[in-house]
Amino acid sequence: MLDFLKGPAEVSNYEKQFIGERLRVKEYKARSFLAGATPENSYQPTTPYTITVSENPYSFDEENWTTLYVTSGGADNPRPIKLRKKPSTGQWFLNEIQCLADIRVPVAEDPWA
């Protein structure tokens, strides 16, 4: 799926390792971007599955590039993802996954909750 989202670029071994390290033991991070997923419900999303994506006044400052933001139920602020436009087709593709920083631990796993 990541290769599809990256378009003409391939997911590098470095990127695969980076993503694997960020999600290892914390698979709930990926679910945290789905609406309704919060630390209180162990990041169980509501259906239908939806993701909130936003932009800011600087998102489209550079031609053929944009930084958009995805909302995580475990973070205080939306997290960035960088996209690149393929001018010949007008399609946008994932370029950098910058949204996998740590988030709040599910309450059920938090010894301090």
Side-chain angles (χ1 to χ4, degrees), residues 88-104:
S88 63
T89 64
Q91 295 172 295
W92 288 93
F93 294 102
L94 185 62
N95 186 263
E96 293 178 23
I97 301 171
Q98 305 166 328
C99 60
L100 295 177
D102 275 342
I103 58 172
R104 288 186 287 280

Side-chain angles (χ1 to χ4, degrees), residues 11-83:
V11 179
S12 70
N13 286 334
Y14 171 79
E15 289 172 307
K16 290 176 187 176
Q17 182 179 353
F18 176 83
I19 293 166
E21 288 172 0
R22 296 303 176 279
L23 298 179
R24 189 170 294 117
V25 186
K26 297 180 180 184
E27 75 287 337
Y28 57 83
K29 276 188 195 180
R31 291 193 314 269
S32 80
F33 295 102
L34 298 170
T38 65
E40 292 74 26
N41 68 9
S42 295
Y43 294 106
Q44 296 305 309
T46 55
T47 55
Y49 298 133
T50 58
I51 297 173
T52 301
V53 180
S54 59
E55 62 184 69
N56 69 25
Y58 308 103
S59 288
F60 293 91
D61 276 356
E62 191 176 347
E63 186 177 6
N64 297 322
W65 292 89
T66 188
T67 300
L68 299 178
Y69 300 87
V70 290
T71 300
S72 166
D76 293 329
N77 298 304
R79 303 293 176 92
I81 56 172
K82 192 164 189 171
L83 305 173

